C-alpha cells in the first residue's frame, strides 16, 4: 500500500528515522506512531496537542486497529512530541518522503525553475506582554508546487538575511531563478544564490538607496531624451473586486550605467537586466473614484531573459504570500499558542506537509482547503489512502 517508485519507502519507515527524544523508561507508544497520529490529525485540521488527542480519541477504533495501541495517548504526550521532536529531522524526513513518492511539477520560464523564498512570522508562538518577538520561519516553494516542508527557524540573535545562505544550501539551484522580497537584495544573499548555481530576480527598495537612486536617475534621463517609451515592454490589465489594475513592465537591457556610477563592487557587477513596473490602480472609495500610481524596480542576473518572462516571475512570487494566507486563515497558524521548546516549528512543518498532500489529492486538490480538511476529518480511511495507497496506480 504505497505509491511512488519501487525504491520509495513507507511513511512509517521514514518516520522511524526521526530520533526519539524520550527516556526509554516507561515508554508506552512507539515514537513513529505518535508522529503518525499527529500527521493524521493535522490533515484533518487539528494541530494543537489537545485537538490531536481528541481526534485520536474520536477515531480510537481506527488507530487501535492500525497501530495496535491499547489506550489513547494524553494531550500531554502529544504536547511533548511537538515540543521535543527534532524539527530538522522531521522536516528532512517528510521532505524525503514527498520527493520519493510524488513527481515534482515545476512551472518553467525559459527552461528555468522559479523558487520563491519568504519569511513568515508565527505570531501566536510568542507572548507580546512579556516582550517576546514572534518566531520567524524561512519558507520556500517552487512555482507549480506547494509551500515546502523545508523551513528554517530564525533564531533570536540572527535575522532572515544571516540565515538565508545556510537555508539556500538545501536546494538544488542549478537552472533556478530565486525570488524574494527586498530582504534578498544584498551582497550576502546574492553571493549565496550564485555560489549554489542559481540566478535571481529581486526588488530594489530603500534598503539599497544608492542603487535605487541610480536607477531612478537613469529613468529620468531616458524620459528626457525620449527613449523611455522605446524600451521593451509588456502590459497587463486585471479587473476584479471593484478595482482595475494596469501594469506596464519595461526592461532596461543596458545596465552599464550601474557599473559606471557604483563600480563593480558588491553585487552591482552581476546585474544584467533591470525591470521597471509602473502600476495604476483605479477603485471606488467612499463613493468616489480613486486612482493611485506606483513604481517598482527589479534586478536580475539572467542575461537572456525577456521582458514578459521577467514580469511573470515577478508576479509569481506572490504565490508564496497566498500560501501564507492559507496557513493563517485555513490552518489557523497564527492562532496556535504552543510556545515552549520547538512546538511552534514542528507544528508549522506538519501544516506545510498538509498543504503538500492536498496538492497531490486527485479528488480535492482544486477545492478549498476547508473542503479538504472536512473530508479528512470525517473519514480517517481517506487519509490512509492519501498516505499509503496509490489509487491512481491501482486504477491504471
Amino acid at each position: 500500500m504505497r505509491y511512488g517508485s519501487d525504491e520509495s519507502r513507507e511513511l512509517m519507515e521514514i518516520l522511524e528515522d526521526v530520533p526519539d527524544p524520550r527516556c526509554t523508561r516507561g515508554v508506552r507508544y512507539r515514537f513513529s506512531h505518535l508522529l503518525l497520529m499527529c500527521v493524521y490529525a493535522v490533515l484533518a485540521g487539528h494541530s494543537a496537542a489537545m485537538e490531536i488527542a481528541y481526534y485520536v480519541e474520536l477515531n480510537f477504533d481506527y488507530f487501535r486497529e492500525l497501530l495496535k495501541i491499547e489506550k489513547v495517548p494524553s494531550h500531554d504526550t502529544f504536547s511533548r512530541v511537538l515540543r521535543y521532536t527534532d524539527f530538522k529531522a522531521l522536516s528532512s524526513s517528510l521532505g524525503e518522503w514527498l520527493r520519493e513518492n510524488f513527481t515534482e511539477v515545476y512551472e518553467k520560464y525559459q527552461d528555468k525553475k522559479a523558487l520563491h523564498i519568504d519569511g513568515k512570522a508565527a505570531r501566536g508562538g510568542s507572548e507580546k506582554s512579556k516582550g517576546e518577538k514572534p518566531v520567524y520561519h524561512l519558507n520556500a516553494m517552487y512555482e507549480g508546487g506547494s509551500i515546502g516542508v523545508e523551513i528554517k527557524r530564525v533564531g533570536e540573535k540572527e535575522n532572515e538575511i544571516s540565515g538565508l545562505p545556510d537555508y539556500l544550501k538545501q536546494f538544488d539551484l542549478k537552472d533556478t531563478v530565486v525570488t524574494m522580497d527586498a530582504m534578498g537584495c544584498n551582497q550576502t544573499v546574492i553571493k549565496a544564490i550564485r555560489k549554489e548555481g542559481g540566478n535571481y530576480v529581486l526588488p530594489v527598495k530603500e534598503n539599497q538607496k544608492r542603487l535605487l537612486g541610480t536607477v531612478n536617475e537613469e529613468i529620468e534621463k531616458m524620459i528626457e531624451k525620449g527613449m523611455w517609451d522605446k524600451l521593451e515592454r509588456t502590459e497587463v490589465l486585471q479587473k476584479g473586486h471593484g478595482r482595475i489594475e494596469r501594469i506596464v513592465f519595461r526592461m532596461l537591457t543596458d545596465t552599464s550605467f550601474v557599473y559606471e556610477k557604483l563600480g563593480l563592487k558588491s553585487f552591482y557587477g552581476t546585474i544584467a537586466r533591470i525591470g521597471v513596473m509602473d502600476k495604476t490602480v483605479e477603485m471606488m472609495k467612499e463613493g468616489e473614484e480613486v486612482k493611485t500610481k506606483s513604481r517598482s524596480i527589479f534586478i536580475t542576473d539572467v542575461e537572456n531573459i525577456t521582458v514578459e518572462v521577467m514580469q511573470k516571475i515577478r508576479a509569481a512570487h506572490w504565490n508564496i504570500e497566498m500560501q501564507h494566507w492559507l496557513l493563517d486563515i485555513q490552518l489557523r497558524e497564527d492562532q496556535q499558542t504552543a510556545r515552549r521548546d520547538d512546538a511552534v516549528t514542528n507544528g508549522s512543518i506538519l501544516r506545510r506537509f498538509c498543504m503538500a498532500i492536498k496538492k497531490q489529492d486527485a479528488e480535492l486538490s482544486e477545492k478549498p482547503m476547508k473542503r479538504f480538511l472536512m473530508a479528512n476529518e470525517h473519514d480517517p480511511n481517506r487519509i490512509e489512502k492519501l498516505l499509503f495507497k496509490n489509487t491512481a496506480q491501482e486504477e491504471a
Side-chain angles (χ1 to χ4, degrees):
M1 290 181 22
R2 173 185 69 194
Y3 39 82
S5 66
D6 291 338
E7 293 77 23
S8 62
R9 295 192 289 163
E10 295 278 7
L11 178 60
M12 184 63 72
E13 186 182 352
I14 288 282
L15 293 177
E16 292 280 2
D17 291 343
V18 180
D20 186 346
R22 302 171 298 174
C23 175
T24 56
R25 182 180 178 182
V27 168
R28 181 175 293 168
Y29 309 98
R30 286 173 60 182
F31 192 62
S32 58
H33 287 181
L34 293 170
L35 288 174
L36 185 65
M37 286 184 271
C38 289
V39 168
Y40 265 72
V42 172
L43 286 172
H46 309 292
S47 55
M50 184 71 77
E51 293 177 353
I52 295 171
Y54 284 159
Y55 174 79
V56 174
E57 180 181 352
L58 291 170
N59 295 280
F60 181 63
D61 289 342
Y62 172 84
F63 286 108
R64 179 167 54 190
E65 180 180 352
L66 178 70
L67 304 175
K68 311 306 179 188
I69 58 176
E70 299 298 328
K71 186 179 179 181
V72 177
S74 69
H75 74 273
D76 286 330
T77 296
F78 287 116
S79 176
R80 287 189 290 270
V81 170
L82 294 174
R83 287 172 57 192
Y84 298 129
T85 296
D86 182 339
F87 67 84
K88 293 181 180 178
L90 179 64
S91 171
S92 176
S93 294
L94 293 178
E96 179 184 349
W97 183 83
L98 288 169
R99 288 189 295 273
E100 286 183 358
N101 287 279
F102 298 110
T103 301
E104 294 181 294
V105 180
Y106 305 113
E107 180 76 24
K108 288 196 173 184
Y109 304 90
Q110 293 181 216
D111 294 324
K112 289 183 179 291
K113 297 176 288 187
L115 177 66
H116 311 306
I117 295 178
D118 198 17
K120 182 185 181 301
R123 302 192 181 279
S126 61
E127 293 192 61
K128 293 182 180 179
S129 61
K130 295 183 179 180
E132 294 179 358
K133 295 181 180 179
V135 175
Y136 277 88
H137 296 122
L138 290 173
N139 306 275
M141 67 170 287
Y142 284 101
E143 185 60 25
S146 67
I147 194 167
V149 297
E150 300 86 1
I151 68 176
K152 177 177 174 57
R153 180 167 176 160
V154 180
E156 293 182 0
K157 295 184 179 180
E158 63 178 340
N159 56 36
E160 292 175 339
I161 294 174
S162 62
L164 274 166
D166 281 340
Y167 185 59
L168 288 167
K169 292 178 182 178
Q170 299 184 57
F171 307 95
D172 179 6
L173 298 186
K174 184 180 179 181
D175 296 325
T176 301
V177 178
V178 179
T179 73
M180 301 183 204
D181 59 19
M183 71 173 177
C185 190
N186 64 78
Q187 171 71 359
T188 300
V189 176
I190 289 177
K191 182 178 180 181
I193 293 172
R194 291 171 60 84
K195 182 179 179 181
E196 298 298 322
N199 300 105
Y200 63 82
V201 170
L202 299 169
V204 181
K205 295 187 178 180
E206 290 299 322
N207 63 325
Q208 291 291 338
K209 290 184 178 181
R210 292 183 65 206
L211 177 58
L212 182 61
T214 299
V215 174
N216 282 327
E217 287 177 10
E218 183 67 16
I219 291 172
E220 292 303 317
K221 290 180 183 178
M222 297 185 77
I223 293 174
E224 291 176 3
K225 295 178 181 179
M227 300 170 58
W228 181 242
D229 289 330
K230 298 178 182 179
L231 292 175
E232 295 180 60
R233 61 192 280 175
T234 185
E235 299 187 22
V236 179
L237 178 65
Q238 298 175 332
K239 297 181 180 181
H241 304 289
R243 56 185 276 155
I244 301 173
E245 184 176 284
R246 293 183 175 88
I247 292 176
V248 179
F249 197 94
R250 296 178 175 88
M251 187 165 70
L252 283 68
T253 56
D254 182 1
T255 58
S256 59
F257 68 92
V258 176
Y259 321 138
E260 292 170 0
K261 189 156 188 178
L262 302 179
L264 295 175
K265 294 181 179 180
S266 187
F267 59 86
Y268 304 132
T270 70
I271 300 173
R273 299 288 185 268
I274 297 174
V276 183
M277 182 182 72
D278 290 310
K279 181 166 70 174
T280 303
V281 178
E282 299 177 22
M283 59 187 299
M284 296 298 294
K285 189 174 182 180
E286 297 180 354
E288 296 184 1
E289 184 178 291
V290 177
K291 181 184 290 188
T292 61
K293 295 183 178 182
S294 62
R295 171 172 287 170
S296 301
I297 310 295
F298 300 87
I299 58 173
T300 183
D301 62 340
V302 182
E303 294 188 1
N304 65 339
I305 196 170
T306 66
V307 64
E308 291 84 6
V309 167
M310 191 172 183
Q311 191 279 326
K312 287 179 180 178
I313 293 176
R314 187 274 326 165
H317 178 78
W318 290 104
N319 289 332
I320 195 169
E321 299 286 352
M322 179 58 69
Q323 299 280 301
H324 290 173
W325 182 87
L326 287 171
L327 283 164
D328 285 337
I329 303 302
Q330 299 292 340
L331 295 175
R332 301 174 294 143
E333 180 153 290
D334 268 357
Q335 299 175 37
Q336 303 303 319
T337 57
R339 298 166 178 148
R340 300 176 66 181
D341 304 301
D342 292 327
V344 174
T345 303
N346 281 316
S348 294
I349 292 169
L350 291 173
R351 285 185 287 274
R352 284 152 179 76
F353 181 75
C354 172
M355 296 178 72
I357 293 297
K358 178 183 180 295
K359 184 77 174 180
Q360 303 296 335
D361 188 336
E363 180 185 357
L364 299 177
S365 61
E366 301 301 322
K367 300 294 184 181
M369 175 63 76
K370 193 74 172 178
R371 176 72 178 84
F372 172 78
L373 298 175
M374 291 180 69
N376 293 339
E377 184 177 37
H378 287 82
D379 186 5
N381 289 290
R382 186 177 194 281
I383 299 177
E384 180 178 336
K385 291 178 182 179
L386 291 171
L387 297 178
F388 297 105
K389 190 174 183 180
N390 187 352
T391 304
Q393 192 176 59
E394 287 191 351
E395 290 177 351

